[in-house]
Amino acid sequence: MTLEATSPGASYGSTASGSSFYAAMRILPHDQREAMFQIYSFCRQVDDIADSDGPREERLAALQEWRNDIDALYQGHPPARLKDYVASVKTFGLKREDFLAIVDGMEMDVPQDIRAPDMATLDLYCDRVASAVGRLSVRVFGLPEEDGIQLAYHLGRALQLTNILRDIDEDAGLGRLYLPREGLLHAGITSNDPNRVIAERALPKVCLPLAQRAKVHFEKSDEIMNRNRRRAVRAPRIMSKYYHSILDLLIARGFNAPRQPVRVSKVARILILLRYAFI
């Protein structure tokens, strides 16, 4: 489950998206809340590096510094910017490889902008920038090991695919195109130029199958959450319902240009909170 990044392609967010994260996390007990905000802060910082305007070599070096700092944290001598993470890592059993996977995911945008990746590469990207965040998060929430891993797998991909569909135009403005190559070719679109692709009349033929894929992941994640303690899945449930609402709005709006931004209304957000935050 992604924590919504400033990157349109990744998921650490827009103002509306950010508010959904804060609302979901504020209902948690203190230790869990602190751990989740640490995870969020980490994601924001590495994402800001990936999305900065600095030279690519400098961004790659800065991401490597984060890898080195994560290694130092797990070797027992954390750098200053990760000292507060020690208690959370110990309390919740947060895994080094998940932090490193997030850095790897952010780095996928750095050597060159992602443009029409094949489906396997897109799925790897989703796993790193979203499901890896979920694997850290479900440990904080206290889900059983296997169900937690499966929830992170499905909900992370559901949220990330929704982000990609929501941010097609914004991503193109950054020179990025996350729609899968196979889907583009199936729709008869041979270009991987973002600005050309987003103007194609056949674009819905690419986006709708991706939206259906996201829906399947939402359904699978619902099945997992339904069989676990309501208290353990309150936060991911809120994120799921919020993002599922965004996906429904995108499908109802359609994907032909011009595309108006979609937003879950304040009333709808409040209703989600009232239904799932309190038990």
Side-chain angles (χ1 to χ4, degrees):
M1 57 227 57
T2 137
L3 297 184
E4 307 161 4
T6 49
S7 156
S11 43
Y12 309 90
S14 64
T15 300
S17 298
S19 66
S20 74
F21 170 78
Y22 279 98
M25 299 310 135
R26 286 180 64 182
I27 66 172
L28 296 171
H30 179 268
D31 288 351
Q32 290 180 319
R33 185 169 65 247
E34 288 300 303
M36 287 305 301
F37 280 117
Q38 288 165 2
I39 294 168
Y40 176 79
S41 174
F42 168 77
C43 292
R44 283 295 301 264
Q45 290 179 78
V46 294
D47 184 72
D48 285 347
I49 293 169
D51 277 358
S52 75
D53 294 328
R56 295 183 189 270
E57 294 79 7
E58 291 182 8
R59 286 184 276 162
L60 290 171
L63 290 173
Q64 184 57 46
E65 287 180 13
W66 271 106
R67 290 191 184 92
N68 296 340
D69 283 355
I70 291 296
D71 283 341
L73 169 65
Y74 281 87
Q75 290 164 4
H77 42 90
R81 61 183 173 181
L82 291 177
K83 282 188 181 298
D84 291 344
Y85 288 57
V86 173
S88 296
V89 167
K90 183 177 180 180
T91 300
F92 300 110
L94 305 182
K95 299 294 186 182
R96 166 183 170 273
E97 55 264 32
D98 292 326
F99 281 110
L100 293 178
I102 295 167
V103 179
D104 291 343
M106 301 303 175
E107 191 177 83
M108 290 176 73
D109 276 317
V110 177
Q112 58 185 10
D113 294 320
I114 290 182
R115 292 192 174 188
D118 60 43
M119 186 61 77
T121 302
L122 176 61
D123 190 67
L124 177 62
Y125 179 77
C126 290
D127 187 80
R128 287 173 169 176
V129 303
S131 292
V133 183
R135 290 192 290 273
L136 292 170
S137 303
V138 294
R139 291 182 177 276
V140 175
F141 300 148
L143 270 78
E145 179 80 8
E146 185 58 32
D147 270 359
I149 291 172
Q150 287 300 307
L151 179 59
Y153 177 92
H154 289 294
L155 188 53
R157 283 160 169 79
L159 302 187
Q160 193 59 38
L161 291 174
T162 300
N163 272 327
I164 288 169
L165 292 168
R166 180 192 64 190
D167 297 334
I168 291 170
D169 296 297
E170 191 175 352
D171 285 339
L174 296 174
R176 296 174 180 173
L177 178 67
Y178 294 90
L179 299 177
R181 181 184 311 158
E182 295 92 334
L184 293 171
L185 293 175
H186 183 73
I189 301 173
T190 56
S191 174
N192 70 350
D193 179 275
N195 289 308
R196 289 185 61 182
V197 171
I198 64 173
E200 290 277 357
R201 294 181 63 182
L203 192 65
K205 295 181 181 178
V206 187
C207 295
L208 287 173
L210 213 58
Q212 291 305 312
R213 181 183 292 261
K215 276 188 169 293
V216 170
H217 285 303
F218 276 121
E219 291 167 2
K220 295 290 186 183
S221 63
D222 281 343
E223 291 174 8
I224 297 165
M225 289 188 284
N226 287 342
R227 64 175 178 252
N228 279 276
R229 294 180 300 112
R230 286 187 63 188
R231 181 170 293 276
V233 298
R234 286 185 302 168
R237 181 82 78 179
I238 290 168
M239 296 293 291
S240 174
K241 295 303 180 185
Y242 179 83
Y243 266 83
H244 205 159
S245 297
I246 291 175
L247 183 63
D248 288 341
L249 289 170
L250 290 170
I251 293 171
R253 180 206 64 187
F255 294 97
N256 282 312
R259 290 168 288 275
Q260 294 299 315
V262 304
R263 174 173 291 186
V264 180
S265 71
K266 184 176 181 179
V267 170
R269 295 199 304 270
I270 291 172
L271 289 175
I272 291 171
L273 277 175
L274 290 174
R275 182 171 182 184
Y276 299 105
F278 309 104
I279 62 173

